[in-house]
Amino acid sequence: MKKYKAIDIARWFINRNQKDFNSGEDEKMTLLKLLKLLYYAEGCSLALENRSLFDEKIVAWEHGPVVEEVWRSFDNAYDLSVDDKEMHESLAKITRSDHELLEDVYSVFGKYSASGLRNKTHSESPWLNATQGGRIFNSEIPRSDIKKYFEENYVQD
């Protein structure tokens, strides 16, 4: 059962990054990095909360996991501008507990560069299995594979 649209979660990450970017603590968010953070947020939610944050498919592309609807939402991969009203509406939907989950995801995975996250996903079984070892692209990455991988590799008892 989803709670949000993937674009709502994407806007949360863009907003969060803007704070660090403005204070000089981080580089500006790119679409590549954003798409990987969505994947990691979904994986953490599945493993920790046993539920999806969003229903949109996560697809294995050449450069890692992608939520196509979010990819299509931006004309420029290096300028992730969001209308103020849309940003406010998305942020208002995020519950306190989900905000905390996203903050944890950002603090752990947000420290990686876009290419670092790309490379990280390429070494993980959900992307590897969906692409048959990097040979076939555009397959959906099953939520069950993501959940299992995150439970085994990221969730601590």
Side-chain angles (χ1 to χ4, degrees):
M1 181 171 78
K2 63 97 182 171
K3 295 180 88 169
Y4 312 104
K5 292 283 190 189
I7 193 67
D8 295 323
I9 304 301
R11 289 176 184 148
W12 186 95
F13 281 119
I14 292 167
N15 184 69
R16 178 62 181 83
N17 170 260
Q18 192 64 44
K19 293 174 186 174
D20 283 357
F21 177 72
N22 288 342
S23 67
E25 295 178 33
D26 198 359
E27 62 189 12
K28 190 169 183 179
M29 181 75 72
T30 64
L31 188 54
L32 181 65
K33 184 171 181 173
L34 177 63
L35 293 167
K36 303 313 159 253
L37 287 173
L38 286 174
Y39 163 77
Y40 283 107
E42 180 67 354
C44 289
S45 182
L46 289 166
L48 294 167
E49 306 290 332
N50 198 32
R51 64 173 170 77
S52 288
L53 286 171
F54 52 87
D55 281 342
E56 292 89 340
K57 291 179 184 179
I58 299 175
V59 181
W61 281 11
E62 180 179 357
H63 295 291
V66 170
V67 177
E68 291 183 70
E69 291 83 350
V70 172
W71 179 80
R72 286 190 197 103
S73 296
F74 297 98
D75 295 329
N76 184 333
Y78 299 97
D79 180 17
L80 306 181
S81 298
V82 177
D83 174 80
D84 287 343
K85 182 180 179 207
E86 291 174 339
M87 179 64 81
H88 177 74
E89 289 171 357
S90 289
L91 295 177
K93 294 176 187 177
I94 310 292
T95 65
R96 179 180 305 275
S97 63
D98 288 331
H99 172 83
E100 291 172 7
L101 172 78
L102 296 173
E103 189 65 46
D104 289 344
V105 169
Y106 189 80
S107 70
V108 172
F109 298 102
K111 66 184 175 189
Y112 290 92
S113 67
S115 61
L117 288 173
R118 175 198 178 275
N119 294 341
K120 189 167 180 42
T121 63
H122 282 190
S123 68
E124 297 174 345
S125 63
W127 183 86
L128 287 167
N129 293 341
T131 63
Q132 296 181 20
R135 294 186 306 274
I136 297 172
F137 303 110
N138 299 323
S139 298
E140 181 176 358
I141 302 175
R143 291 296 206 281
S144 58
D145 288 0
I146 297 170
K147 182 179 190 300
K148 182 177 189 284
Y149 181 81
F150 275 72
E151 286 174 341
E152 293 173 353
N153 293 278
Y154 290 116
V155 176
Q156 298 176 4
D157 293 331

